[in-house]
Amino acid sequence: MKAEIISVGTELLLGHTVNTDATHVARELSALGMDLLQVHTVGDNPQRLEKALREALERAEVVITTGGLGPTEDDLTKETVALVAEAPLEEHADSMARLREYFGTRPMSANQAKQAMLPRGSVAFPNLVGTAPGCATPAGEGRWVLMLPGPPSELLPMLHDSAVPFLRSMSGSVISSFMVKTFGIGEGVAALRIAGLTGSANPTAATYAGDAEMFVRVTAKEQDAAAAEALAAPMVAEVRKLLGHFVYGVNVAGLETVVVQDLARQGKTLATAESCTGGLLAKRITDQPGASDVFGYGMVTYANEAKERLLGVPHDMLCAHGAVSPEVARAMAQGARKYSGADYGIGITGVAGPGGGTPQKPVGLVYIALSDAEHVWLRVMRPQGRYLGREWTRRLASSHALDMLRRRLADLPVEDQWSLDQA
Amino acid sequence: MKAEIISVGTELLLGHTVNTDATHVARELSALGMDLLQVHTVGDNPQRLEKALREALERAEVVITTGGLGPTEDDLTKETVALVAEAPLEEHADSMARLREYFGTRPMSANQAKQAMLPRGSVAFPNLVGTAPGCATPAGEGRWVLMLPGPPSELLPMLHDSAVPFLRSMSGSVISSFMVKTFGIGEGVAALRIAGLTGSANPTAATYAGDAEMFVRVTAKEQDAAAAEALAAPMVAEVRKLLGHFVYGVNVAGLETVVVQDLARQGKTLATAESCTGGLLAKRITDQPGASDVFGYGMVTYANEAKERLLGVPHDMLCAHGAVSPEVARAMAQGARKYSGADYGIGITGVAGPGGGTPQKPVGLVYIALSDAEHVWLRVMRPQGRYLGREWTRRLASSHALDMLRRRLADLPVEDQWSLDQA
């Protein structure tokens, strides 16, 4: 079954908002085994939306719109769908009741009230977060337009609670997709290693470059989920074998997920001491529900004084080597571990830029240390080629820290094995 | 001048990757005064890409593709553009030399080498980060296809260094766009307040709902930047007046930008103590280059023991009230300030979920405290309607903390003024 997405909003065309809505919807369509042909993004422009709708309905059985359902004057998606589907807008009693309940004793304006209007014959999707309901509108010949709101906090629950169940009843075959995630190997090298697999039609294998990570997606299409998974499994195993210990997980959210799980499984704990990453590592760890079982202490020691007082980094060491040095990274990792009593300590210190670089310690130079009771391991990020920005540098440094701990917990080599040259 | 974007990549249609490339390109087109008609996303499917290219070239003078330039077999953008533009692929000498330099003594495979092939007559855009160059390819009748790589770390420098200068020479009028950013006011309420402005054709005003924030965009179109800015300025001032102290800035990245700037201007410092936000607040503050002038200490006290030892929260208080309580939030804020000697301390404690809630302390309950030498201010986030997830809850809690400090630094009321009911 074929689907298309039309995202509506001038803010998307001006680059003010990233279109995460399309990604969320695409992921669900894929899980349902529906074939997403394309995504269109148009502005708050009813003529262009109308044209996109008519064209999409020629190609696809299901067209999903995101955005343009709100109370403002340029929210015109429902009016346009009503026109294309030849279904006049009518007040939807349940939606109006819900809207009245939402406003309570506060006055409701006319533009608020228009949100309860839906094209005739629509199946309403209640909005449990905001004010604008969504709906599925029949558009002739067994085709449907599904309208979802733009703000992700409203779209996500409606997508999962209303739109996906609606679509499930329409769908046929099922796609099973496995993302093999790696850290430390380049896309070109990885593509060569798995070259023997990429010609296969079902299952398929393809490489994707993320920022400083590389993924291989294995996808199989079958009539039900179990058959699709069984078809994909041998290829997933082969990819894992070919990419070896660069693989940190399959269908996991990120390195932090694996590290928190592995720590919990082994009954170990971690404490962090961050300078240039400024809390990003602690944030990534505590993104995981249940992180409190393995993580009790995080220190963001941005000032040298904080490194001395919180972590016990010797004043003389800071004077002799400077805050950005292998010695201080090691002392931070050990200090965090000792102060907290955790099994592992991580220390990160570097120059995230864009300012603060010197010839000896350029922007992009970061030291990352991992310590346990016996050892301290160290990695060095050196500026390579062009500076990719503060965010990128901080992200990569925190990923190195997580990768070091992942490898330690799996008894793999920890230092320098991430280098492309040694792949 | 009209433009369209075509993003290429099956990973986008499967929802594995968010299309930030389109956002980056859209933002630059807007700044150049170019009119972006729509964004298409297609898979690694040469037939569908060819159709999208031909249609886009009928509507727009400039079509920008993102993705599909890499070394793998499903990277087919250049081949397809070459077909549509009727310009055969030829080896581009400079790109091949750069590729050889990149690989050094390592072997270069045939699929790596094909990256140096460009359609005849193209203007090459060097890739200073990765291996695949981009280019601008003439497509007849003064039309151009610009090809940019998919990974954001490669796309961004090429966009700024090569594509934007190329496009600037083609453009006419200039759009000036101002984003008035607010925290604590709903879109519906804000839309009513500025209803008198939204009918204007040039400049225009429109509201956008972010996650827990609301923005008003004022846009003016003129022949040069100075004239466009002058046309927009009175409306920006009017929006600021109508939305009052909910406005935290215009064309600023976020609350954290304003807070770090205001602290620096006033020569004040901040220390943070985070429980449920787990470093996110420190991370947002240190996202700002130069944060070290105002921020020296951040404590992620996930464990109760850490709250006692690092922040001096009394053991008896933790036993009597629990970690998630107004008392502990206040004590954390004061503890962070006192330990570090900073002017302001922030304490955040709550239940981010999805687990860990109780009837007395449900998921979504968060206490946020701000302290200076004389006062402690407190806000409470209570679960309202549906739980929007761990990330959303943590993000909103850190935003409240920043908003409290922003208001304190501007001598505005700090507590509870964010409530919609009091707007």
Side-chain angles (χ1 to χ4, degrees), chain A residues 40-356:
Chain A
H40 285 240
T41 307
V42 298
D44 297 315
N45 178 321
Q47 287 75 37
R48 216 159 270 148
L49 172 57
E50 184 188 336
K51 185 157 183 292
L53 272 169
R54 292 193 192 281
E55 290 176 0
L57 282 166
E58 281 174 24
R59 290 180 295 253
E61 287 93 350
V62 179
V63 177
I64 299 174
T65 69
T66 66
L69 301 187
T72 69
E73 283 164 26
D74 45 357
D75 288 316
L76 291 165
T77 302
K78 275 190 303 194
E79 287 79 352
T80 310
V81 171
L83 177 75
V84 170
E86 297 176 15
L89 289 174
E90 295 175 342
E91 186 174 305
H92 183 256
D94 280 4
S95 298
M96 181 53 84
R98 195 177 282 272
L99 210 54
R100 286 195 204 288
E101 190 190 323
Y102 181 93
F103 277 90
T105 55
R106 287 175 293 163
M108 182 173 16
S109 64
N111 61 3
Q112 292 287 2
K114 83 162 184 166
Q115 296 178 95
M117 305 290 283
L118 299 179
R120 184 181 293 169
S122 296
V123 178
F125 296 163
N127 188 331
L128 302 179
V129 176
T131 50
C135 62
T137 302
E141 301 171 19
R143 283 155 202 262
W144 289 84
V145 180
L146 273 61
M147 291 183 257
L148 300 175
S153 61
E154 301 181 21
L155 173 126
L156 281 170
M158 192 183 295
L159 175 63
H160 297 135
D161 294 353
S162 298
V164 166
F166 185 90
L167 291 169
R168 193 173 287 131
S169 64
M170 302 178 66
S171 171
S173 63
V174 171
I175 286 180
S176 206
S177 192
F178 294 86
M179 199 60 119
V180 182
K181 298 201 167 182
T182 73
F183 180 83
I185 189 169
E187 189 184 11
V189 176
L192 282 180
R193 286 202 189 181
I194 65 160
L197 304 177
T198 48
S200 163
N202 188 25
T204 60
T207 58
Y208 298 108
D211 262 2
E213 299 197 13
M214 199 281 307
F215 308 146
V216 180
R217 182 176 51 80
V218 175
T219 302
K221 196 167 189 170
E222 275 287 0
Q223 293 210 314
D224 61 66
E229 279 172 32
L231 184 62
M235 191 180 275
V236 171
E238 183 67 15
V239 171
R240 288 195 82 127
K241 199 178 117 196
L242 292 167
L243 301 181
H245 54 58
F246 293 108
V247 175
Y248 66 76
V250 177
N251 285 359
V252 293
L255 278 163
E256 55 271 40
T257 322
V258 175
V259 164
V260 169
Q261 281 172 357
D262 289 355
L263 283 169
R265 204 161 9 222
Q266 298 185 22
K268 302 285 189 186
T269 56
L270 167 69
T272 57
E274 303 180 66
S275 190
C276 66
T277 48
L280 173 58
L281 177 59
K283 186 258 173 201
R284 289 180 67 178
I285 291 163
T286 60
D287 279 341
Q288 311 305 309
S292 55
D293 293 342
V294 302
F295 181 76
Y297 289 75
M299 280 86 140
V300 182
T301 52
Y302 228 52
N304 277 356
E305 185 196 279
K307 294 181 184 72
E308 293 179 30
R309 289 177 57 205
L310 283 170
L311 302 169
V313 178
H315 184 76
D316 293 348
M317 181 190 280
L318 283 161
C319 292
H321 302 285
V324 179
S325 61
E327 291 81 4
V328 169
R330 286 195 191 96
M332 287 171 68
Q334 289 170 310
R337 192 179 56 75
K338 283 183 192 152
Y339 184 92
S340 64
D343 298 295
Y344 295 101
I346 288 174
I348 304 179
T349 178
V351 190

Side-chain angles (χ1 to χ4, degrees), chain A residues 11 15 27 38-41 161 208 217 278 282 286-287 296-298 300 302-303 305 309 339 386 390 394, chain B residues 11 14-16 27 38-41 161 208 278 282 286-287 296-298 300 302-303 305 309 339 386 390 394:
Chain A
E11 73 278 16
R27 203 174 289 150
Q38 38 196 320
V39 180
H40 285 240
T41 307
D161 294 353
Y208 298 108
R217 182 176 51 80
T286 60
D287 279 341
Y297 289 75
V300 182
Y302 228 52
E305 185 196 279
R309 289 177 57 205
Y339 184 92
R386 192 188 167 93
R390 182 176 179 85
R394 281 157 48 101
Chain B
E11 73 277 17
L14 289 172
H16 289 309
R27 203 174 289 149
Q38 39 197 319
V39 180
H40 285 240
T41 306
D161 294 352
Y208 297 107
T286 61
D287 279 342
Y297 288 76
V300 182
Y302 228 52
E305 184 196 280
R309 288 177 59 204
Y339 184 94
R386 193 189 167 94
R390 183 176 177 86
R394 280 156 50 101

